Amino acid sequence: MGEPTWAAAGAPTTVRNVPMQLTPRGREIVDAARDLLDREGPDALTMRRLAESLGIRAPSLYKHLPDKDALEAAVISLAFEEFGDALAAATEHADDRLWALAVAYRGFALDHPHLYRLMTGRPLRRDLLAPGSEQRGSRALDDATGGDADLGRALWAFAHGMTVLELDDRFPRSADLDAAWRRGVDSFRAGVARPRTGERS
Amino acid sequence: MGEPTWAAAGAPTTVRNVPMQLTPRGREIVDAARDLLDREGPDALTMRRLAESLGIRAPSLYKHLPDKDALEAAVISLAFEEFGDALAAATEHADDRLWALAVAYRGFALDHPHLYRLMTGRPLRRDLLAPGSEQRGSRALDDATGGDADLGRALWAFAHGMTVLELDDRFPRSADLDAAWRRGVDSFRAGVARPRTGERS
DNA sequence: GGTACGGGCTAACAGCGTTAGCCTGACGCC
DNA sequence: GGCGTCAGGCTAACGCTGTTAGCCCGTACC
């Protein structure tokens, strides 16, 4: 056999470390990986278990993907797009966009904890990601803070922190997390209307 | 040989899943693990590498610790205490306690990224932790928010979010993280003086 | 001196990601 | 019809991981 099928279609011999073009079969595998992770968690996402779920053997996966890092990067790219779409849909026609964003952010993570952790739990292999997918995940956040980058980052950090601490069971069971979210979002709200493109909340 | 040495000294046959009393040798091993992790990162913290750094073989470690989870839990317990002490020392005599706390929080994580990630990166095995160590890590934070639990959680989430996003290289390289920290801390500061035991910042 | 035991050792197992090398079936082409 | 190409499977195997079983040696105590 010649070049492996996961290489970019255009100039297969020159590309290195470029986010691959998925073949249809490759896409099936990535979808299966997404579902396996989402349902059973990261320990279940092994090459052998994934292959089994597709009715093939583990080494066959390497005909479609270079390695597990690339597989995870593809799942992450997918997840960023799902995530971004969910946030955009939730905030689009909301009265209180900032709060709607917070609710949607938390909701996605609680619905897909393993996916969210994979997306955010360690340094990103940006060289393996589908181009633009990361931005698509964070676009709604940028919009909601009206172009104020520092505030946007602070708000993102707060939302991510609340989310990951809740997912990891870090707060006391008795904690009123709705109240903490309210408190945080309200604290940031003051800053959001002021600078430049003041948007109604 | 009878009972393994890592079991609690008091009633060795009845305890299950109780945070162990470390023997002196066990403590040496945990210290070595802490240093290995701190210096070389989580991939380096394998039972074989750890044993090698102590001049022994991997199976011998199991004479002192039940398994790797317990080892990591012991390292985490240590790290919580280090972390708590660092925060307490930094905020004790500071003019602006909230800001001093933020600086110390970020500083510890940047100085010990692997340790910080181990402490916070996944659900805590509280059943394996040394009792009280978790509280010792978060005490300074509680103090700084004057007993307002919701605000404390929101502030913690913000600090943790900023920290982990920075460690994971999630912000653009051009981002002014000092400004984002300032922005976040200032947003929360308004709330801190008000409720109950109003403390000067 | 005998016994207990702390603290080391080797050999081995199952599961992990991954590679090398082989085979089969479908397709285009002369 | 025969041939070459190649997508997409396969088995066997390697080195790594955490972990267990079982053995052995030195020290301390009665």
Side-chain angles (χ1 to χ4, degrees):
Chain A
M1 183 177 326
E3 293 295 316
T5 60
W6 43 262
T13 57
T14 58
V15 282
R16 300 269 153 192
N17 258 355
V18 157
M20 67 235 161
Q21 292 294 102
L22 284 176
T23 58
R25 184 58 168 152
R27 175 59 194 251
E28 284 177 29
I29 291 173
V30 171
D31 285 341
R34 195 221 90 113
D35 290 346
L36 183 57
L37 172 68
D38 203 26
R39 283 198 322 270
E40 304 194 37
D43 290 349
L45 186 55
T46 73
M47 299 305 267
R48 283 173 235 261
R49 293 268 281 114
L50 172 60
E52 189 191 6
S53 83
L54 289 157
I56 62 177
R57 306 299 178 117
S60 302
L61 296 172
Y62 293 82
K63 287 288 158 75
H64 305 279
L65 297 155
D67 54 29
K68 200 186 181 189
D69 280 350
L71 172 70
E72 292 184 345
V75 172
I76 291 172
S77 294
L78 265 186
F80 271 138
E81 295 176 16
E82 276 186 58
F83 186 49
D85 291 351
L87 296 192
T91 53
E92 200 168 3
H93 300 112
D95 292 342
D96 184 345
R97 290 182 62 176
L98 212 56
W99 184 246
L101 183 73
V103 169
Y105 196 106
R106 185 183 178 195
F108 181 90
L110 293 182
D111 284 346
H112 308 287
H114 305 306
L115 226 40
Y116 185 82
R117 259 194 276 253
L118 182 68
M119 293 163 59
T120 62
R122 51 185 155 164
L124 263 193
R125 292 292 308 272
R126 291 194 172 80
D127 54 334
L128 300 178
L129 244 47
S133 62
E134 189 185 1
Q135 291 80 339
R136 193 153 152 201
S138 57
R139 173 115 167 250
L141 237 143
D142 294 339
D143 289 350
T145 47
D148 183 338
D150 294 333
L151 183 66
R153 284 168 200 138
L155 178 66
W156 180 26
F158 166 72
H160 176 58
M162 284 299 298
T163 299
V164 76
L165 291 175
E166 179 175 12
L167 285 184
D168 287 354
D169 226 22
R170 222 57 173 221
F171 295 118
R173 222 179 333 286
S174 63
D176 183 349
L177 298 188
D178 287 314
W181 271 97
R182 267 276 169 220
R183 197 64 177 269
V185 171
D186 286 345
S187 297
F188 286 118
R189 193 191 306 279
V192 77
R194 233 175 299 143
R196 246 193 304 286
T197 59
E199 218 157 25
R200 287 289 303 131
S201 54
Chain B
M1 185 179 321
E3 292 296 316
T5 60
W6 44 263
T13 55
T14 59
V15 281
R16 300 269 152 189
N17 258 355
V18 157
M20 67 235 161
Q21 292 293 103
L22 283 177
T23 58
R25 185 57 169 152
R27 177 57 194 251
E28 285 178 28
I29 291 173
V30 172
D31 285 341
R34 196 222 88 112
D35 290 345
L36 183 58
L37 173 67
D38 203 26
R39 284 198 320 271
E40 304 193 38
D43 289 350
L45 186 55
T46 73
M47 298 305 267
R48 284 174 235 261
R49 291 269 280 115
L50 172 59
E52 188 191 6
S53 83
L54 287 157
I56 62 176
R57 306 300 176 114
S60 302
L61 297 172
Y62 292 81
K63 286 288 159 71
H64 306 280
L65 297 155
D67 53 31
K68 202 187 180 188
D69 279 351
L71 171 70
E72 291 184 346
V75 172
I76 289 172
S77 294
L78 266 187
F80 271 138
E81 295 177 17
E82 276 187 59
F83 185 48
D85 291 351
L87 295 192
T91 54
E92 201 168 4
H93 300 111
D95 292 341
D96 183 346
R97 290 183 61 175
L98 212 55
W99 183 246
L101 182 72
V103 169
Y105 196 107
R106 185 183 180 196
F108 182 90
L110 293 181
D111 284 347
H112 308 286
H114 306 304
L115 226 41
Y116 184 82
R117 258 194 276 253
L118 182 68
M119 292 163 59
T120 61
R122 52 186 156 166
L124 263 193
R125 292 292 309 272
R126 291 194 172 80
D127 54 334
L128 300 178
L129 244 48
S133 63
E134 189 183 3
Q135 292 81 337
R136 193 153 152 201
S138 57
R139 173 115 167 249
L141 237 144
D142 294 339
D143 291 350
T145 47
D148 183 338
D150 293 332
L151 183 67
R153 284 168 199 139
L155 178 67
W156 180 25
F158 165 72
H160 175 57
M162 285 299 299
T163 299
V164 76
L165 291 175
E166 179 175 12
L167 286 184
D168 286 354
D169 225 24
R170 222 59 174 220
F171 295 117
R173 221 179 336 284
S174 63
D176 183 349
L177 298 187
D178 287 316
W181 272 96
R182 267 277 170 220
R183 196 66 177 270
V185 170
D186 285 345
S187 296
F188 286 118
R189 193 191 305 280
V192 76
R194 230 177 300 143
R196 245 192 306 286
T197 58
E199 218 158 27
R200 287 289 302 132
S201 54

